[in-house]
Amino acid sequence: MRSNDMSGQQTLISDAHNGEADWNDAPCALVVVDANFCILRANACFGGLTGASGREMIGERISRKFTTASRLYLESVLIPLLHIEGCCHEVALTVQGNAEPSPVLVNISLRKHLGPRVYDVALFPASARRSFEEQLVGLRQDSERRASWLAQLETLSGVGAWTYEVRSGRLLWSDRIYELYGIPHGAQVTLEMALEPLSADVRQGIEAITKDPELCVEPMVQEFDFRHPSGQVRRFKIAGQYSLNHQGEPVIQGVLQDVTEAHNRQLDLWNAAHIDQMTGLGNRYLFNAELGRRADMKQAVEPFSLMVLDLDGFKAVNDTFGHHAGDAVLRTIGRRISKLGSSMAFRLGGDEFAMILERHQGADTADNFARRLLLEICRPIDIGRRDVTVSASIGISAYPTDGKDSDAILRAADFAMYAAKNSGKNSYARYSPELGERT
């Protein structure tokens, strides 16, 4: 729908609520439905389209006012998508009137207010919109053509629809979900089959919802890894919500989408912003964020040790053998730091590294790690034509003993690192207040 049309619809519905005359004199059918798409209010134009009075329709599911084909599309595709997107524009459907079916263009939008979910629905007679004549012709086709069209729509959008019937335990899939699961179309599926490829936490969460559907009154949206029968691991996004179908039966309806490419793009963007491309360790941006998260929070946090490391002799390698040799040294040092088991390791730039160590394993954890790290770094490094050796000067500070925020704890570690360097290098030093005064 064009933006000015959508804006006009919202204004029209908003104005109509200001007076009963405006509501019933609107040039299109206006309906207000609840989260289960049951009618709360409808104007006279909608009553004229459907052949029912306003009072008769209150509490009835709006999909019952459409033809079988339109009802199928509304229930299986449109309503699940509305729970996610919140609106749809210019959808061609057909209302089942007393005399004959009436093609309409439907616009639905979630009302933005606090409280229960309410949708505003506006239906425009399709005859007034020449641009939708081809869609109107398509709506008059038989169910096979509609099924083919829906299948194509699913393929293009990558979204499949599903319905779980709470009382019978029956699971219904659209063709797209069969494709996502790698199961032949039309094969009988059960809830157990659908949950089998999922991780334990996701499986348990969905099982809990099927046993107590009221947990899913509000839309549930979750992403998870899915192991395809081919062996590939894909990233799926599932959305679902409890409601009553057109027959008043309790169901959980939703959609499933393969979001692997989008997920991988997000990971690539995150890695580009947070990971040092030379060593594979976290970069300075991630270091500042992690250190700030741990040291700058007002609530109590776990104590930790900060270790700052500066390579000794790295400049000589760069000057003598070139930057490619220096890069080989940095990559090797990065691997050796990771090998020692520090998950919170960072390259701050140049030949400077940092590590954040948990202290739950004992007070001497940082000292032991520093001694092991010095031994690892001193081992020869192959740069292609020959081996070179470098050493390191390491400074250690403890939070919150040596500083109450990220700046203070980092400054303390730097003081200790320079003290180790001044004492002859290839060593480590712990921060003390006297050390800071001398520096």
Side-chain angles (χ1 to χ4, degrees):
M1 180 180 179
R2 296 178 297 275
S3 60
N4 58 338
D5 290 336
M6 191 61 189
S7 175
Q9 173 209 333
Q10 293 172 337
T11 302
L12 185 61
I13 292 176
S14 176
D15 293 344
H17 282 287
N18 294 330
E20 194 68 27
D22 292 335
W23 173 260
N24 285 315
D25 292 341
C28 65
L30 300 177
V31 188
V32 179
V33 298
D34 61 17
N36 291 319
F37 286 80
C38 294
I39 297 173
L40 301 176
R41 192 182 185 201
N43 70 352
C45 183
F46 187 72
L49 280 174
T50 59
S53 67
R55 290 185 178 180
E56 293 175 346
M57 292 182 288
I58 301 302
E60 186 176 7
R61 198 164 170 87
I62 192 173
S63 60
R64 296 177 68 87
K65 297 303 179 183
F66 292 86
T67 62
T68 301
S70 292
R71 187 185 310 146
L72 172 64
Y73 177 70
L74 188 64
E75 292 282 356
S76 64
V77 177
L78 196 57
I79 287 179
L81 286 175
L82 281 166
H83 285 314
I84 300 173
E85 302 295 339
C87 65
C88 67
H89 308 156
E90 299 286 329
V91 178
L93 299 174
T94 303
V95 172
Q96 182 65 60
N98 282 340
E100 61 180 17
S102 301
V104 294
L105 298 174
V106 181
N107 300 273
I108 305 176
S109 61
L110 176 65
R111 188 177 296 177
K112 297 180 179 179
H113 70 111
L114 297 176
R117 293 169 71 92
V118 174
Y119 294 87
D120 292 310
V121 185
L123 301 89
F124 296 88
S127 58
R129 303 291 183 94
R130 293 182 179 179
S131 61
F132 288 90
E133 288 180 357
E134 292 183 1
Q135 294 186 40
L136 297 179
V137 171
L139 289 172
R140 297 189 184 100
Q141 302 303 313
D142 57 25
S143 59
E144 290 184 3
R145 180 169 179 179
R146 174 164 288 277
S148 175
W149 178 73
L150 289 176
Q152 183 180 10
L153 179 63
E154 283 194 339
T155 301
L156 293 174
S157 65
V159 177
W162 56 268
T163 298
Y164 177 74
E165 297 178 348
V166 176
R167 289 178 181 170
S168 67
R170 187 170 65 155
L171 183 62
L172 304 175
W173 281 358
S174 67
D175 289 347
R176 175 58 179 161
I177 296 190
Y178 280 103
E179 294 175 4
L180 292 174
Y181 265 74
I183 296 176
H185 289 196
Q188 186 175 359
V189 293
T190 64
L191 181 62
E192 291 72 21
M193 291 172 58
L195 297 180
E196 183 179 358
L198 311 186
S199 61
D201 58 332
V202 176
R203 185 165 57 246
Q204 292 169 3
I206 295 178
E207 286 175 342
I209 291 172
T210 59
K211 294 175 182 177
D212 186 4
E214 292 187 0
L215 293 173
C216 197
V217 171
E218 291 297 319
M220 174 272 297
V221 180
Q222 189 169 6
E223 288 191 14
F224 57 90
D225 290 332
F226 176 88
R227 185 168 295 280
H228 193 270
S230 65
Q232 283 188 321
V233 176
R234 308 291 294 176
R235 187 76 172 179
F236 282 3
K237 181 178 182 179
I238 190 173
Q241 185 175 31
Y242 170 76
S243 64
L244 300 177
N245 65 12
H246 62 285
Q247 295 177 332
E249 294 292 325
V251 295
I252 302 175
Q253 295 177 312
V255 294
L256 185 69
Q257 184 178 14
D258 187 337
V259 295
T260 305
E261 284 70 27
H263 178 70
N264 289 340
R265 285 195 297 270
Q266 289 179 345
L267 288 179
D268 290 342
L269 289 173
W270 191 93
N271 286 335
H274 297 85
I275 302 300
D276 175 59
Q277 302 305 305
M278 178 71 69
T279 63
L281 303 178
N283 60 16
R284 179 176 284 274
Y285 177 85
L286 183 59
F287 168 74
N288 289 337
E290 182 64 22
L291 185 63
R293 184 186 70 81
R294 290 169 175 264
D296 292 342
M297 297 181 69
K298 294 181 180 179
Q299 63 266 33
V301 294
E302 291 294 326
F304 63 90
S305 294
L306 174 63
M307 183 178 296
V308 173
L309 178 155
D310 189 78
L311 295 180
D312 305 321
F314 177 75
K315 184 177 183 302
V317 173
N318 250 347
D319 293 344
T320 305
F321 302 106
H323 289 290
H324 68 283
D327 292 346
V329 170
L330 293 175
R331 284 191 290 268
T332 301
I333 297 300
R335 287 194 297 270
R336 291 179 181 178
I337 292 174
S338 299
K339 180 182 176 182
L340 288 180
S342 174
S343 58
M344 288 280 95
F346 312 86
R347 179 188 173 216
L348 306 185
D351 59 350
E352 187 176 5
F353 297 80
M355 285 131 282
I356 296 175
L357 303 176
E358 305 288 354
R359 295 179 61 192
H360 57 78
Q361 296 176 335
D364 62 341
T365 299
D367 295 81
N368 289 337
F369 188 88
R371 285 190 286 267
R372 290 162 55 207
L373 187 55
L374 289 172
L375 292 175
E376 280 291 319
I377 290 176
C378 286
R379 290 195 296 112
I381 298 173
D382 182 7
I383 61 171
R385 292 172 294 177
R386 56 171 294 174
D387 290 347
V388 297
T389 56
V390 294
S391 61
S393 298
I394 301 174
I396 304 173
S397 60
Y399 175 85
T401 308
D402 299 330
K404 304 298 185 183
D405 56 46
S406 58
D407 289 339
I409 198 72
L410 178 58
R411 186 165 55 249
D414 278 335
F415 285 156
M417 184 268 290
Y418 284 114
K421 193 175 284 289
N422 292 334
S423 68
K425 305 179 180 179
N426 192 26
S427 62
Y428 75 91
R430 276 189 167 275
Y431 174 78
S432 65
E434 296 79 11
L435 224 172
E437 292 173 1
R438 290 200 303 271
T439 306

